[in-house]
Amino acid sequence: MTGTSVTGPALTGPDVVDTPTAPGSEWWRTAVIYQIYPRSFADANGDGMGDLAGITSRLPDLQQLGIDAIWLSPFYTSPQRDAGYDVADYCDVDPLFGTLDDFEVLQRTAHDLGIRVIVDIVPNHSSSDHDWFQEALASAPGSHERERYIFRDGKGTTGELPPNNWESVFGGLAWTRTENTDGTPGQWYLHLFDTTQPDLHWENPWVRQQFRDVLRFWLDRGVDGFRVDVAHGMIKAAGLPDYTPPAEGGSMGGGATALEPGIDAPPAETPPYWAQDGVHEIYRDWHQVLAEYPGDRVLAAEAWVDPLAKVAQWVRPDEMHQAFNFAYLETPWNAPALRRVIDDSLKAFGDVGAPSTWVLSNHDVVRHASRLALTAENLQGHGIGPKSPGQPDAELGLARARAASTLMLALPGSSYLYQGEELGLPEVIHLPDASREDPTWFRTNGERYGRDGCRVPLPWEAAAPSYGFGPTSASWLPQPAEWAHLARDVQRGTTGSTLELYTLALALRREHGLGAGTVAWLAGFGPEIVALVNGDVTVIGNAGAASVELPAGELLLASGPILTGATGVRSLPSDTTVWLRTE
């Protein structure tokens, strides 16, 4: 799909400074960062669970893909009740994944390959198995140990009612009552997620010092930064007032998710447990900790906050460096909506001197190869499963996913990829109920499918056991039979495969300096077309039903086949994006 001339009027774009990012020169501003979900990436020992040694063995494949950094979801000591986001020891590796020595080999190998390493940190809550919490349970109300977490007396005559009406993100009450040492009912503790994930009390200086120590533990070992889980949490409103979230609101905060084109999210009242002003003091402190270390270490925020101008508060110059752009992730494949969110993102983050980030999938959302073929009513933010209405059309979803990814990778700033999207993996919908592990599934009695469908282990080799995920046929979630034709070895070197599309896109993105560029919109293509210039590359995405004639220029990249008429004029079909070299 390279080196082809296209007839039509020539287009020119604005000049842009093409300055590849050098080591130590704010590399994160333009980086393509690849998320690894360790459970599901690669299994070295054959127990059916991904591990650090498995990740290390596959790093050359990621170097070949052309990414700049990896982000590792949690691999810390954990009872794994929420797939490692329930941390029992922030400074060690769970035996399920290996050892600290395995981590050091992974990191050294990645750095030798020119890949930086970002690790997850989970500061809003710990596991209930953590020594900190066990000591709190064994201590009296009002003790220093209890002050590590948010314990409160209950309401009612005997404290039988929870302290307020807050609900868990995973469904059900956000409070669990303890039992005193004499067997009588005790205080309640807050858990915005699962019962086994008690919220830490971030107003307590002791907690803040523990996490400074955790940051330094990993920085001393050479990590390049941290992705901060629930970065809009941690601080709660004084008095813990009652709050009932709107029915259309997202469970993690912000407005409605996956809105239909042209529909704005309603103005969202800030919940008393999300996005409180006091959280920024924490990140200003963390910024100073990272500044003690050389090499531009990075803090990336998972902050589900609306609007984008408010998200940008997390990346002011003295706080974090990046914040995930969930507004972009939640935007449907619709040209007016895409133009608007791109403009809003570049302005909001640019106003505080930060790069915008772009992301389409992660371990918490339906994979975009399925999501983009769903309506808001079909999705409802609860995952999708066998009984969900309006099952996605696989062919349509993949075409839109390829087109959306091709558009995303042309935008200035930093892009995040979720493992397997470069293979075009869809959501796994038909998982047996007995295999599901997401706490959401259990806490809602199967009413919400949760996130297991985007976490199924990767296919590496079509003819190997577990498609090359590991040396045996075991995998912690079952892999669908149709994934054989999506395996990496089948796609590698195959013209038109999704893997080759991503590989070429990342090479061209670097060659043309698109991450450090600018966006200039092109008029005259109609309302259903996204057309822009970034440096010397013209990007045209067709989100409409009708084909559109392409202008003159060298075809650098296309997400799908280009139509050629009898006169040689080429046109862009529906659900396709191209990059052209501007003349």
Side-chain angles (χ1 to χ4, degrees), residues 514-547:
L514 301 183
T518 58
V519 165
W521 295 109
L522 296 174
F525 283 92
E528 297 306 316
I529 306 300
V530 179
L532 61 91
V533 173
N534 182 357
D536 64 349
V537 176
T538 296
V539 182
I540 305 173
N542 185 356
S547 299

Short mmCIF file of all heavy atoms in Angstrom, two decimals, residues 514-547:
data_model
loop_
_atom_site.label_atom_id
_atom_site.label_comp_id
_atom_site.label_asym_id
_atom_site.label_seq_id
_atom_site.Cartn_x
_atom_site.Cartn_y
_atom_site.Cartn_z
N LEU A 514 4.92 12.61 13.03
CA LEU A 514 3.52 12.98 13.26
C LEU A 514 3.23 13.24 14.74
O LEU A 514 2.37 14.06 15.06
CB LEU A 514 2.60 11.88 12.73
CG LEU A 514 2.74 11.57 11.22
CD1 LEU A 514 1.72 10.52 10.80
CD2 LEU A 514 2.58 12.84 10.39
N GLY A 515 3.93 12.55 15.63
CA GLY A 515 3.68 12.76 17.05
C GLY A 515 4.01 14.16 17.52
O GLY A 515 3.44 14.65 18.50
N ALA A 516 4.93 14.82 16.83
CA ALA A 516 5.33 16.18 17.19
C ALA A 516 4.70 17.22 16.29
O ALA A 516 5.11 18.38 16.30
CB ALA A 516 6.86 16.29 17.12
N GLY A 517 3.70 16.83 15.51
CA GLY A 517 3.14 17.73 14.51
C GLY A 517 1.96 18.55 15.00
O GLY A 517 1.77 18.78 16.20
N THR A 518 1.18 19.00 14.05
CA THR A 518 -0.01 19.81 14.32
C THR A 518 -1.14 19.33 13.43
O THR A 518 -0.92 18.60 12.45
CB THR A 518 0.25 21.30 14.03
OG1 THR A 518 0.66 21.43 12.66
CG2 THR A 518 1.33 21.86 14.94
N VAL A 519 -2.36 19.73 13.74
CA VAL A 519 -3.53 19.39 12.94
C VAL A 519 -4.06 20.63 12.25
O VAL A 519 -4.29 21.65 12.89
CB VAL A 519 -4.63 18.76 13.82
CG1 VAL A 519 -5.97 18.74 13.08
CG2 VAL A 519 -4.25 17.35 14.24
N ALA A 520 -4.21 20.55 10.92
CA ALA A 520 -4.91 21.57 10.14
C ALA A 520 -6.03 20.87 9.39
O ALA A 520 -5.78 19.92 8.63
CB ALA A 520 -3.95 22.26 9.18
N TRP A 521 -7.27 21.31 9.61
CA TRP A 521 -8.41 20.65 8.98
C TRP A 521 -8.53 21.03 7.51
O TRP A 521 -8.24 22.17 7.13
CB TRP A 521 -9.70 21.01 9.70
CG TRP A 521 -9.76 20.51 11.11
CD1 TRP A 521 -9.69 21.26 12.25
CD2 TRP A 521 -9.88 19.15 11.54
NE1 TRP A 521 -9.75 20.46 13.36
CE2 TRP A 521 -9.86 19.16 12.96
CE3 TRP A 521 -9.98 17.94 10.87
CZ2 TRP A 521 -9.98 18.00 13.71
CZ3 TRP A 521 -10.07 16.78 11.63
CH2 TRP A 521 -10.08 16.81 13.02
N LEU A 522 -8.98 20.09 6.70
CA LEU A 522 -9.21 20.32 5.28
C LEU A 522 -10.71 20.37 5.02
O LEU A 522 -11.46 19.50 5.47
CB LEU A 522 -8.58 19.21 4.44
CG LEU A 522 -7.06 19.11 4.51
CD1 LEU A 522 -6.59 17.87 3.76
CD2 LEU A 522 -6.42 20.36 3.93
N ALA A 523 -11.14 21.39 4.28
CA ALA A 523 -12.56 21.55 3.96
C ALA A 523 -12.86 20.93 2.60
O ALA A 523 -11.97 20.56 1.84
CB ALA A 523 -12.91 23.04 3.95
N GLY A 524 -14.15 20.80 2.32
CA GLY A 524 -14.58 20.39 0.99
C GLY A 524 -14.81 18.91 0.81
O GLY A 524 -15.09 18.46 -0.31
N PHE A 525 -14.75 18.13 1.87
CA PHE A 525 -14.93 16.68 1.73
C PHE A 525 -16.28 16.19 2.21
O PHE A 525 -16.57 15.01 2.12
CB PHE A 525 -13.82 15.95 2.49
CG PHE A 525 -12.50 15.94 1.80
CD1 PHE A 525 -11.56 16.93 2.05
CD2 PHE A 525 -12.18 14.97 0.86
CE1 PHE A 525 -10.35 16.94 1.40
CE2 PHE A 525 -10.98 14.96 0.21
CZ PHE A 525 -10.04 15.95 0.47
N GLY A 526 -17.11 17.06 2.75
CA GLY A 526 -18.41 16.63 3.23
C GLY A 526 -18.40 16.33 4.71
O GLY A 526 -17.35 16.08 5.31
N PRO A 527 -19.57 16.32 5.34
CA PRO A 527 -19.66 16.22 6.80
C PRO A 527 -19.25 14.86 7.35
O PRO A 527 -18.91 14.76 8.53
CB PRO A 527 -21.14 16.49 7.09
CG PRO A 527 -21.85 16.13 5.82
CD PRO A 527 -20.91 16.49 4.71
N GLU A 528 -19.27 13.80 6.55
CA GLU A 528 -18.96 12.47 7.06
C GLU A 528 -17.51 12.07 6.86
O GLU A 528 -17.15 10.90 7.06
CB GLU A 528 -19.88 11.43 6.39
CG GLU A 528 -21.34 11.62 6.71
CD GLU A 528 -21.60 11.67 8.22
OE1 GLU A 528 -21.02 10.84 8.95
OE2 GLU A 528 -22.37 12.55 8.66
N ILE A 529 -16.67 13.05 6.49
CA ILE A 529 -15.26 12.78 6.24
C ILE A 529 -14.41 13.53 7.27
O ILE A 529 -14.66 14.70 7.55
CB ILE A 529 -14.85 13.23 4.82
CG1 ILE A 529 -15.77 12.59 3.77
CG2 ILE A 529 -13.39 12.87 4.54
CD1 ILE A 529 -15.76 11.08 3.77
N VAL A 530 -13.41 12.85 7.83
CA VAL A 530 -12.41 13.49 8.67
C VAL A 530 -11.18 13.68 7.80
O VAL A 530 -10.58 12.71 7.34
CB VAL A 530 -12.05 12.61 9.89
CG1 VAL A 530 -10.98 13.30 10.73
CG2 VAL A 530 -13.28 12.33 10.73
N ALA A 531 -10.83 14.94 7.51
CA ALA A 531 -9.70 15.23 6.62
C ALA A 531 -8.81 16.28 7.28
O ALA A 531 -9.27 17.36 7.63
CB ALA A 531 -10.19 15.73 5.26
N LEU A 532 -7.55 15.95 7.43
CA LEU A 532 -6.61 16.84 8.09
C LEU A 532 -5.23 16.71 7.49
O LEU A 532 -4.93 15.73 6.79
CB LEU A 532 -6.58 16.55 9.60
CG LEU A 532 -6.13 15.15 10.04
CD1 LEU A 532 -4.62 15.10 10.29
CD2 LEU A 532 -6.88 14.72 11.30
N VAL A 533 -4.39 17.69 7.81
CA VAL A 533 -2.99 17.65 7.42
C VAL A 533 -2.15 17.72 8.70
O VAL A 533 -2.40 18.54 9.58
CB VAL A 533 -2.63 18.83 6.49
CG1 VAL A 533 -1.12 18.86 6.24
CG2 VAL A 533 -3.36 18.71 5.17
N ASN A 534 -1.17 16.84 8.79
CA ASN A 534 -0.19 16.86 9.87
C ASN A 534 1.18 16.79 9.21
O ASN A 534 1.56 15.76 8.65
CB ASN A 534 -0.40 15.67 10.82
CG ASN A 534 0.57 15.68 11.99
OD1 ASN A 534 1.46 16.53 12.09
ND2 ASN A 534 0.41 14.72 12.89
N GLY A 535 1.91 17.91 9.23
CA GLY A 535 3.21 17.96 8.55
C GLY A 535 3.05 17.77 7.06
O GLY A 535 2.30 18.48 6.40
N ASP A 536 3.74 16.77 6.51
CA ASP A 536 3.64 16.52 5.07
C ASP A 536 2.72 15.35 4.76
O ASP A 536 2.79 14.77 3.67
CB ASP A 536 5.03 16.27 4.47
CG ASP A 536 5.69 15.02 5.00
OD1 ASP A 536 5.18 14.44 5.98
OD2 ASP A 536 6.73 14.61 4.43
N VAL A 537 1.84 15.01 5.70
CA VAL A 537 0.92 13.89 5.52
C VAL A 537 -0.52 14.39 5.57
O VAL A 537 -0.91 15.10 6.50
CB VAL A 537 1.14 12.80 6.58
CG1 VAL A 537 0.11 11.69 6.44
CG2 VAL A 537 2.55 12.23 6.48
N THR A 538 -1.29 14.03 4.55
CA THR A 538 -2.72 14.28 4.53
C THR A 538 -3.44 13.01 4.97
O THR A 538 -3.15 11.93 4.47
CB THR A 538 -3.19 14.68 3.12
OG1 THR A 538 -2.59 15.92 2.76
CG2 THR A 538 -4.70 14.83 3.07
N VAL A 539 -4.36 13.16 5.91
CA VAL A 539 -5.09 12.03 6.48
C VAL A 539 -6.57 12.21 6.16
O VAL A 539 -7.14 13.27 6.44
CB VAL A 539 -4.89 11.95 8.00
CG1 VAL A 539 -5.62 10.75 8.58
CG2 VAL A 539 -3.40 11.91 8.34
N ILE A 540 -7.18 11.18 5.55
CA ILE A 540 -8.59 11.25 5.19
C ILE A 540 -9.27 9.98 5.67
O ILE A 540 -8.87 8.87 5.30
CB ILE A 540 -8.79 11.42 3.67
CG1 ILE A 540 -8.01 12.63 3.15
CG2 ILE A 540 -10.27 11.55 3.34
CD1 ILE A 540 -8.01 12.76 1.65
N GLY A 541 -10.28 10.14 6.52
CA GLY A 541 -11.05 9.01 7.02
C GLY A 541 -12.50 9.15 6.62
O GLY A 541 -13.11 10.21 6.80
N ASN A 542 -13.08 8.08 6.09
CA ASN A 542 -14.45 8.11 5.61
C ASN A 542 -15.35 7.36 6.59
O ASN A 542 -15.35 6.14 6.65
CB ASN A 542 -14.53 7.47 4.22
CG ASN A 542 -15.92 7.58 3.61
OD1 ASN A 542 -16.86 8.07 4.25
ND2 ASN A 542 -16.07 7.12 2.38
N ALA A 543 -16.12 8.11 7.37
CA ALA A 543 -17.06 7.51 8.31
C ALA A 543 -18.48 7.50 7.77
O ALA A 543 -19.43 7.16 8.49
CB ALA A 543 -17.03 8.28 9.64
N GLY A 544 -18.65 7.88 6.50
CA GLY A 544 -19.96 7.89 5.88
C GLY A 544 -20.23 6.64 5.07
O GLY A 544 -19.44 5.70 5.04
N ALA A 545 -21.37 6.64 4.38
CA ALA A 545 -21.78 5.46 3.60
C ALA A 545 -21.28 5.51 2.17
O ALA A 545 -21.10 4.47 1.53
CB ALA A 545 -23.30 5.34 3.62
N ALA A 546 -21.05 6.72 1.63
CA ALA A 546 -20.66 6.87 0.22
C ALA A 546 -19.15 7.03 0.09
O ALA A 546 -18.48 7.58 0.97
CB ALA A 546 -21.37 8.08 -0.38
N SER A 547 -18.62 6.55 -1.03
CA SER A 547 -17.20 6.74 -1.32
C SER A 547 -16.92 8.19 -1.67
O SER A 547 -17.81 8.94 -2.09
CB SER A 547 -16.77 5.83 -2.48
OG SER A 547 -16.97 4.48 -2.16
#
